[in-house]
Amino acid sequence: MEGEIFEWVDKDAAFVGGYPELQNYINTEVKYPKDAIEMGEQGSVYISFVVEPDGKVTNVFVEKGVYKSLDREAKRVVRSFPKWIPAELNARRVRTRVRL
């Protein structure tokens, strides 16, 4: 159970400040890659990651990418996240997967 990643939890992991702060953080941190601009590439990159019991973000993975440099930038931003409020299951902090 120590290393298990829980998909269903009693309390979801959360970005400190909630969804508006998460959006603000992403908007502030993203540096749109020059090559993507030049090639006219745009779209949404779908990412999953694990929030550890201590709130750290690990195991960042592109679920559905758009363009190599955009995918790389999305992973960079997610890896730069400050600690999250961890998920809880049965009143214990657990590892959980988050998808954005």
Side-chain angles (χ1 to χ4, degrees):
M1 190 154 150
E2 178 90 11
E4 188 173 352
I5 299 170
F6 292 89
E7 298 286 335
W8 304 102
V9 293
D10 298 329
K11 186 176 173 190
D12 289 330
F15 192 84
V16 175
Y19 189 76
E21 282 303 313
L22 173 61
Q23 280 300 123
N24 185 48
Y25 184 89
I26 291 169
N27 291 339
T28 302
E29 291 299 312
V30 167
K31 293 172 182 59
Y32 216 87
K34 238 188 242 189
D35 68 321
I37 293 169
E38 290 168 359
M39 297 299 290
E41 294 292 340
Q42 58 184 344
S44 298
V45 178
Y46 293 85
I47 297 255
S48 70
F49 55 93
V50 172
V51 175
E52 300 291 341
D54 68 356
K56 275 189 196 172
V57 169
T58 64
N59 300 54
V60 180
F61 179 76
V62 174
E63 297 277 343
K64 182 178 179 224
V66 175
Y67 186 71
K68 194 172 188 175
S69 62
L70 289 174
D71 300 351
R72 196 171 34 246
E73 177 61 6
K75 285 175 77 171
R76 184 196 67 78
V77 170
V78 170
R79 286 186 179 123
S80 78
F81 282 164
K83 286 188 174 184
W84 281 49
I85 300 166
E88 291 184 14
L89 180 63
N90 300 324
R92 284 187 43 240
R93 292 177 172 191
V94 295
R95 299 176 84 206
T96 192
R97 185 168 318 282
V98 175
R99 290 177 175 86
L100 292 177

